[in-house]
Amino acid sequence: MNAKQQLSELELTIADGDVAATLALLKSVGETERFSWSKSIGKLVKHYSEIIALDDTNRRFGARGSQSQLTAVDTAALVCMSYKDIKAVRIADKQVYESVLAWYVPDWLPQRINDAIGKDFISPPFHDIAFCYELIKRIGREDEVKEETWAKILATHPDLQLADRYPTFFFKHIWHMFAYETSICYSHKRIDDQLINWQFIIQQLVDDGRLDRIKVVEAMIKGAVAFNKTPLNNWFAEMISFLLTDKEAILVMQEPLQGMLLSPYSKVVNTSLNLLLSVVHDPSFDDKSCIAAMSMVFNSTVKTVLNEGIKLVTQLVKKDKSKNQECAIVLLAGFSMQDQTMQKKLAKLLIKLVTPSQPIKEGLHPYHSLLLSDTKALLKDYIVELQEVGLPEKGIEEDSEDRFINPIDNAEDLVFYLTSAWGSATIYTFEYAVDAILHFIPTMQQEDFDKLLPVFDKAYKVIGNIWSASHRDMLLGMWLIEWSRLLRQDSRFKIEALEKIYQKHLKSNKLGDKFGFTLETISLVSEGNMRHFYVNVRLWLPIYYHSLKMVTEGVYYPVLCVPSIEPFYLDAKALIKRLALYQKGGYLFDSIDLQLAISRLYVKDLQDKTEAIALAKEVLNEDCLALMRYVLGSTTQIKGSKELIDVWRYAASIRFPETFEETLGGDDYTEQEYLYCTSWSKSWDSIDEPYTYTAWDAKSKEMKPKTVYNKKIVIQPLSLSVDSSVIFSRINQAFDVSGEGHSFKSTNLMALLSYQLAEQRYSVDGDLIAYTPRNIDVVLVKVIQQALSYGGSSTYEVAEKKLLQGLLVNILQFKSIQHTEAYYLFLALALITEDRVSRALAAELWIKEVADLDQKVLGIYLAKIQRNEFANLKRLTDTIQNTFIHISQQHTTALQVMLESMIAHMGQEPIKGFKTILEQYFEIINKQGSALTDDGVIEKLSSWSSVTATKKIIKSLLALKK
């Protein structure tokens, strides 16, 4: 038979499932002829292994071939196929390898074993250590299998018998398990109802003297700091604790143990600290090197690490008081953690260790801005700047330099930003990137185009794996894809390289499997599977569509709302210059873009305002000039132009956020439209919300309805409905609805933001507060409803804590805050929230804003919230006692006003815990050396004078009347 006939015969024996005949035929054919069949055998493998429905019901699925057919075709594949072709073929049957290797050994077999080791799995049959080792040993090529491969296979077999069965192999490769990232921490098996794992085996081998304890610990320490896999690092740390039980051994290993302090994993660091602590008083313990290594410990953000570090430092100074200064300097890094309890603990230890000195003051200086108020009070002698604590008088801001955001003005900077923008946490990343591209396009040359190829490659990759991308990355990626589509049609550039990248991703991505479209057809729309992404980036869609419209039309103007001052503000003069460019070119800017710009506007002082108005008069025409003068507060009574009416309405709601002012005149700005632009009804209450459920009643022996009451803040929804079809008719299309006169008629920023927050698929985060920093009420109301509306702890989850903390951190960065009703409600609730970190951040906010806050209003809100005992009052009294009382004269006076207002507006009887409030108020009056003069407080206290719990303190307070 010739080779072709032999191949046909082979196909028949495989079809019959005759493994013996298949093997006999393969043995009779030369190696060259067998390799020439590689492609044909590959097709047979694909045919027999294809998964199909096994019956007409489509309920049973399996391989097309029978077990004997699969064994036969796998045997043929092992003998006939080159490694390049067989890489995609999965041969899991041990019998196939054993039958073939008796007479033929493929050159690529060791490489096949190496490639069988995946990131989280090992392909069978090579997951069996005995089979694998015997196989390789038989052909004498053990050294061609990588150390990492043996380590990963061995790690899956926690079997003490291996040490006896293959001693040379076992004791050679057990060390490799510690040197490579394996599954050693997960592997276990049950033998005679006993759970056997590697921890047990290693401990047994060490105890039997078959492994050297110190050598094992050294390997474990290297592993504990070498890998970035938490379970594995923690396993190494736990093993070190098990093995190092002897003080002499710990002293021998103290230098490597100090190296563990550099690990980013708290379990590893804490293990090292505990072991070092157990021998710290030994004369041979190296104090100096330990103190030097401790500097990294106090840079940790994990409380347990800091607490263990404090224990070790305490023992070091107890052992040798001459080390006080060195230990104190090491402690200073711990003040980077903005946690009230931790900072107080560190401050008290610092005071105990050293007196104020120049080295300590200099070492503490970098952490001044991170110190919380009670820490500052404790360390006032250690911080020169805090010897006189206080804030500037109302209306006068601290003198500080604004940090300007650098514009992108060349191709290299643009490419660098676009390649590093992915995963950015900045709220304005998208508009900043798009604005830079619009500025860059008119001067772009072929050389610049070529530099952008990695950017498009990344964009295709992000969209190709769209479910793994953040929403902001997806938005930027979609914009770049739309731009690349336009560039591929642009005759000015040679696009072969871009087309090659595009075709590569077009073939490799799986969008069609999940979404029904490819990179060629994908677009950001609100229908189908893309709606999830569309919903989460809706706030940026006006800029997305308007900027792409400009690129399509070949006109390039700036994005108006791009911040120019950190962290998210826009300089007034910068906005005026951008508007002037639109006016000069006669191009219509986007309404939402301009409203966003106004909501981010920042004027530093009167001189800055004067310069901005003078510039506006110089470069803007009547409509835009009138708008900017109104926004900047130069005029109060003006007739808004019809073309910009939504912008005028929004500007009016920012100029006068608390009261309706008829500054626009006529029917263009009614009281209803004012509420529409401020986005909430301003009506709320603290209630007991009933909740009825059925439960077993022990007395009646039956199920009965029971009612419980939850303390809840209820905000009256805005009566105005949001017509989404009108609002988004322009946003979705990004084209004028019916000419210039109507292009802005239905594009109100607050309507867009309100609609977004009402969308159930949208997850609000703390960064959203920076979207419109001059108009944050709608976000505050949403956060109150989501994270602060319940006074108890039963519904308080990690997500709510993260949201609230993120929001407060962003607000603390604000240069100025509009103190609206929503803001006072939010601040009052944040001061009594269950989350301790959020309360500390809210306290910092009160301290920072004390000169501008209306303390009477804040007191009224606290009283209204707490009348029905909404939250545990101890949360507020602890903050007052630990933080507010001890800051400055100005803060104490403000606190007195707040408490007087709160007391005066409480209910008919004092609530639980209010005695502490009265005691603190009494302490403040005595501290101030003043008398009780507030009529509302005197009246309320007089009405409470017969209440047993508060009778004594009220008597003391009323004795202070004039």
Side-chain angles (χ1 to χ4, degrees):
M1 288 190 295
N2 57 32
K4 188 175 181 180
Q5 291 172 328
Q6 288 175 321
L7 177 59
S8 298
E9 181 69 20
L10 181 63
E11 290 175 353
L12 290 173
T13 59
I14 291 172
D16 293 339
D18 191 339
V19 179
T22 300
L23 194 59
L25 180 58
L26 290 169
K27 288 180 180 180
S28 67
V29 179
E31 187 172 301
T32 304
E33 286 78 7
R34 291 202 309 268
F35 282 166
S36 68
W37 298 344
S38 180
K39 300 293 183 184
S40 300
I41 299 299
K43 292 178 181 178
L44 289 175
V45 170
K46 185 177 181 180
H47 171 76
Y48 286 110
S49 61
E50 183 183 3
I51 302 300
I52 61 170
L54 298 179
D55 55 34
D56 295 336
T57 64
N58 287 328
R59 292 181 180 179
R60 293 178 59 246
F61 292 86
R64 185 192 304 276
S66 65
Q67 185 58 53
S68 59
Q69 287 174 326
L70 291 172
T71 301
V73 78
D74 283 349
T75 302
L78 190 61
V79 174
C80 298
M81 297 178 74
S82 66
Y83 188 58
K84 179 182 177 182
D85 294 329
I86 205 171
K87 282 177 73 174
V89 179
R90 182 174 178 268
I91 303 176
D93 192 345
K94 296 178 185 178
Q95 180 187 342
V96 173
Y97 286 94
E98 291 171 346
S99 62
V100 168
L101 293 178
W103 63 277
Y104 171 70
V105 179
D107 290 338
W108 42 258
L109 185 60
Q111 184 60 39
R112 173 81 168 187
I113 296 175
N114 289 330
D115 290 345
I117 310 302
K119 183 179 179 182
D120 299 310
F121 67 95
I122 302 173
S123 299
F126 303 114
H127 64 299
D128 186 330
I129 187 69
F131 168 78
C132 198
Y133 176 66
E134 295 284 0
L135 198 68
I136 291 298
K137 184 181 177 182
R138 185 188 309 170
I139 63 176
R141 296 168 65 179
E142 180 185 344
D143 292 340
E144 293 182 39
V145 180
K146 296 177 183 178
E147 292 176 351
E148 182 179 3
T149 301
W150 286 126
K152 290 189 173 183
I153 298 175
L154 182 58
T156 63
H157 290 76
D159 188 350
L160 194 56
Q161 293 180 5
L162 291 173
D164 300 320
R165 188 176 176 186
Y166 311 114
T168 304
F169 169 81
F170 181 86
F171 287 105
K172 175 183 178 181
H173 292 293
I174 192 172
W175 300 105
H176 298 145
M177 285 200 301
F178 308 146
Y180 294 99
E181 188 174 304
T182 68
S183 61
I184 191 171
C185 55
Y186 301 114
S187 301
H188 63 270
K189 63 169 58 176
R190 188 169 292 279
I191 301 175
D192 297 331
D193 293 329
Q194 184 180 5
L195 190 68
I196 305 296
N197 55 27
W198 278 109
Q199 181 177 311
F200 170 82
I201 292 172
I202 293 169
Q203 184 77 56
Q204 189 71 43
L205 292 171
V206 169
D207 291 343
D208 294 344
R210 301 174 76 182
L211 286 177
D212 183 85
R213 183 183 303 271
I214 297 299
K215 189 177 178 182
V216 171
V217 171
E218 286 177 343
M220 296 285 181
I221 290 175
K222 289 179 182 178
V225 298
F227 304 118
N228 294 312
K229 192 173 183 180
T230 304
L232 184 59
N233 291 74
N234 290 350
W235 184 86
F236 279 125
E238 192 171 341
M239 281 300 303
I240 293 167
S241 296
F242 280 127
L243 294 173
L244 278 184
T245 55
D246 181 70
K247 287 191 176 182
E248 290 299 323
I250 298 173
L251 287 168
V252 170
M253 298 300 299
Q254 61 178 302
E255 185 177 346
L257 286 172
Q258 290 168 10
M260 288 172 63
L261 299 178
L262 300 174
S263 172
Y265 296 97
S266 59
K267 173 82 172 179
V268 176
V269 178
N270 284 336
T271 298
S272 174
L273 289 171
N274 287 327
L275 290 170
L276 293 172
L277 184 62
S278 68
V279 295
V280 68
H281 289 286
D282 193 279
S284 61
F285 185 81
D286 189 347
D287 297 350
K288 186 175 180 180
S289 64
C290 182
I291 293 171
M294 288 287 289
S295 59
M296 288 301 297
V297 171
F298 288 96
N299 280 309
S300 175
T301 57
V302 181
K303 292 180 185 179
T304 56
V305 171
L306 293 182
N307 282 322
E308 293 302 319
I310 289 171
K311 290 179 185 178
L312 184 54
V313 166
T314 304
Q315 294 304 313
L316 281 167
V317 296
K318 187 176 180 180
K319 175 184 177 184
D320 185 355
K321 293 191 181 298
S322 66
K323 299 290 193 300
N324 283 22
Q325 182 83 358
E326 295 174 59
C327 290
I329 291 174
V330 166
L331 286 176
L332 298 178
F335 289 108
S336 60
M337 177 179 281
Q338 290 187 290
D339 178 81
Q340 193 175 59
T341 304
M342 185 56 64
Q343 285 196 1
K344 285 179 69 176
K345 185 181 293 187
L346 289 166
K348 289 176 180 178
L349 181 56
L350 183 65
I351 294 168
K352 182 179 179 181
L353 292 181
V354 291
T355 57
S357 63
Q358 192 61 29
I360 296 296
K361 290 179 180 179
E362 290 176 359
L364 193 57
H365 184 267
Y367 306 102
H368 284 190
S369 61
L370 301 174
L371 297 179
L372 299 177
S373 304
D374 53 345
T375 312
K376 292 177 182 177
L378 283 170
L379 297 177
K380 62 181 182 298
D381 294 330
Y382 293 74
I383 308 172
V384 175
E385 291 80 353
L386 293 182
Q387 287 180 350
E388 295 180 3
V389 183
L391 291 180
E393 294 300 319
K394 188 171 182 176
I396 304 175
E397 295 188 0
E398 294 182 69
D399 185 24
S400 61
E401 288 296 322
D402 294 323
R403 291 180 293 117
F404 286 87
I405 299 170
N406 295 324
I408 296 174
D409 53 12
N410 58 64
E412 289 75 16
D413 287 350
L414 178 62
V415 172
F416 175 79
Y417 182 80
L418 290 176
T419 52
S420 61
W422 310 101
S424 171
T426 307
I427 192 74
Y428 58 81
T429 295
F430 172 71
E431 54 262 46
Y432 183 75
V434 169
D435 179 70
I437 293 170
L438 293 173
H439 176 75
F440 171 72
I441 291 176
T443 59
M444 187 169 69
Q445 303 296 320
Q446 182 66 45
E447 181 184 0
D448 303 321
F449 176 88
D450 293 339
K451 291 177 181 177
L452 286 169
L453 292 176
V455 175
F456 292 119
D457 184 56
K458 179 65 176 179
Y460 291 140
K461 185 176 181 180
V462 167
I463 299 305
N465 195 22
I466 195 168
W467 280 109
S468 300
S470 69
H471 297 126
R472 293 176 193 170
D473 283 356
M474 184 278 301
L475 181 66
L476 180 58
M478 282 301 306
W479 197 97
L480 289 169
I481 283 179
E482 294 288 359
W483 184 31
S484 73
R485 288 171 179 168
L486 296 173
L487 287 173
R488 286 166 57 215
Q489 307 300 320
D490 195 328
S491 59
R492 294 178 300 159
F493 303 109
K494 297 177 181 178
I495 64 165
E496 290 79 6
L498 176 61
E499 189 65 30
K500 185 177 180 180
I501 293 171
Y502 171 75
Q503 291 298 334
K504 177 187 73 173
H505 287 283
L506 185 64
K507 293 177 182 178
S508 64
N509 83 78
K510 305 296 183 183
L511 285 172
D513 297 341
K514 295 180 180 179
F515 295 96
F517 44 70
T518 66
L519 283 177
E520 184 67 43
T521 59
I522 189 173
S523 61
L524 194 51
V525 293
S526 61
E527 292 86 18
N529 289 323
M530 283 301 291
R531 176 165 175 77
H532 168 76
F533 304 102
Y534 175 92
V535 163
N536 281 280
V537 298
R538 184 184 281 127
L539 297 176
W540 286 269
L541 290 182
I543 297 169
Y544 178 91
Y545 288 119
H546 188 73
S547 57
L548 285 175
K549 177 173 177 278
M550 287 194 289
V551 176
T552 304
E553 295 175 356
V555 294
Y556 309 102
Y557 293 95
V559 178
L560 295 175
C561 68
V562 174
S564 60
I565 300 173
E566 292 286 6
F568 30 66
Y569 287 98
L570 172 59
D571 177 56
K573 294 189 284 293
L575 174 57
I576 291 167
K577 291 175 183 177
R578 294 171 190 175
L579 283 171
L581 291 174
Y582 277 92
Q583 281 192 174
K584 185 177 179 180
Y587 197 79
L588 195 62
F589 44 76
D590 184 80
S591 170
I592 296 289
D593 189 13
L594 181 53
Q595 291 174 65
L596 261 176
I598 292 172
S599 71
R600 296 174 177 178
L601 209 61
Y602 170 66
V603 180
K604 184 175 182 179
D605 49 32
L606 183 59
Q607 180 182 348
D608 194 23
K609 172 182 172 180
T610 303
E611 291 173 357
I613 292 173
L615 178 64
K617 289 179 179 178
E618 180 183 341
V619 299
L620 296 181
N621 66 16
E622 292 183 3
D623 274 357
C624 286
L625 173 60
L627 177 65
M628 288 309 301
R629 289 184 65 196
Y630 181 78
V631 168
L632 292 170
S634 176
T635 57
T636 55
Q637 198 75 23
I638 195 73
K639 179 70 174 178
S641 61
K642 294 291 184 183
E643 289 78 9
L644 303 177
I645 190 59
D646 258 324
V647 184
W648 278 101
R649 288 168 178 163
Y650 184 70
S653 69
I654 289 183
R655 273 289 305 277
F656 307 101
E658 285 300 277
T659 56
F660 169 64
E661 300 286 342
E662 295 182 356
T663 55
L664 300 185
D667 297 327
D668 292 331
Y669 188 56
T670 64
E671 189 165 1
Q672 274 198 327
E673 285 163 337
Y674 156 71
L675 289 174
Y676 189 64
C677 291
T678 53
S679 72
W680 79 298
S681 64
K682 304 189 179 184
S683 175
W684 65 275
D685 201 2
S686 176
I687 67 167
D688 291 312
E689 181 184 55
Y691 173 71
T692 302
Y693 63 100
T694 55
W696 178 257
D697 183 71
K699 291 183 178 180
S700 62
K701 308 294 185 184
E702 60 183 0
M703 299 293 288
K704 284 190 174 183
K706 291 189 177 182
T707 301
V708 295
Y709 291 87
N710 297 315
K711 311 295 183 182
K712 186 179 181 181
I713 297 295
V714 176
I715 298 176
Q716 187 69 28
L718 199 62
S719 59
L720 299 171
S721 62
V722 178
D723 187 344
S724 60
S725 63
V726 174
I727 292 170
F728 295 109
S729 60
R730 171 170 157 71
I731 291 173
N732 288 348
Q733 299 171 21
F735 288 106
D736 301 343
V737 175
S738 56
E740 187 173 317
H742 293 279
S743 61
F744 296 107
K745 186 174 181 181
S746 57
T747 52
N748 181 275
L749 178 60
M750 280 299 102
L752 173 63
L753 193 49
S754 299
Y755 188 83
Q756 176 73 344
L757 292 173
E759 171 65 63
Q760 292 183 352
R761 297 191 190 196
Y762 176 70
S763 299
V764 64
D765 61 41
D767 285 347
L768 190 60
I769 201 75
Y771 182 71
T772 56
R774 292 185 66 200
N775 193 357
I776 61 176
D777 283 7
V778 64
V779 180
L780 292 179
V781 170
K782 177 66 176 181
V783 172
I784 289 169
Q785 292 172 327
Q786 188 166 324
L788 292 170
S789 59
Y790 284 95
S793 60
S794 58
T795 59
Y796 211 73
E797 303 292 344
V798 173
E800 280 80 24
K801 292 182 181 180
K802 184 178 178 182
L803 167 62
L804 191 53
Q805 291 170 17
L807 189 80
L808 285 161
V809 167
N810 275 308
I811 295 177
L812 280 166
Q813 299 179 62
F814 277 28
K815 291 181 177 294
S816 62
I817 301 174
Q818 286 190 333
H819 297 115
T820 60
E821 292 181 43
Y823 179 76
Y824 281 112
L825 176 59
F826 168 79
L827 181 58
L829 288 167
L831 286 171
I832 58 175
T833 185
E834 181 202 7
D835 180 40
R836 183 164 48 83
V837 176
S838 297
R839 287 204 306 274
L841 290 170
E844 291 300 310
L845 193 54
W846 182 87
I847 293 165
K848 177 186 175 184
E849 294 287 313
V850 72
D852 296 313
L853 284 169
D854 188 331
Q855 302 295 339
K856 289 185 177 181
V857 174
L858 183 58
I860 292 171
Y861 276 59
L862 283 168
K864 184 176 179 181
I865 292 168
Q866 284 296 115
R867 282 176 189 167
N868 67 339
E869 301 185 41
F870 175 79
N872 188 342
L873 200 58
K874 190 176 185 297
R875 300 172 188 171
L876 179 62
T877 56
D878 283 352
T879 301
I880 291 172
Q881 190 63 40
N882 298 330
T883 307
F884 291 169
I885 288 181
H886 306 294
I887 305 173
S888 71
Q889 176 67 34
Q890 183 185 22
H891 290 79
T892 303
T893 302
L895 180 59
Q896 179 179 342
V897 174
M898 184 187 82
L899 291 180
E900 286 174 346
S901 178
M902 182 180 181
I903 294 168
H905 290 87
M906 288 301 292
Q908 298 296 321
E909 293 184 358
I911 63 173
K912 181 181 179 181
F914 207 79
K915 177 185 176 183
T916 308
I917 290 282
L918 298 177
E919 290 171 343
Q920 289 172 336
Y921 178 55
F922 180 75
E923 180 185 346
I924 291 169
I925 292 180
N926 280 331
K927 185 178 180 180
Q928 297 281 76
S930 58
L932 180 59
T933 58
D934 188 285
D935 293 337
V937 174
I938 294 171
E939 181 181 347
K940 186 63 66 177
L941 293 178
S942 299
S943 68
W944 289 350
S945 59
S946 61
V947 178
T948 305
T950 56
K951 184 187 298 184
K952 186 176 179 180
I953 184 62
I954 288 176
K955 183 178 179 181
S956 300
L957 280 167
L958 292 176
L960 298 177
K961 286 194 299 181
K962 268 191 177 180

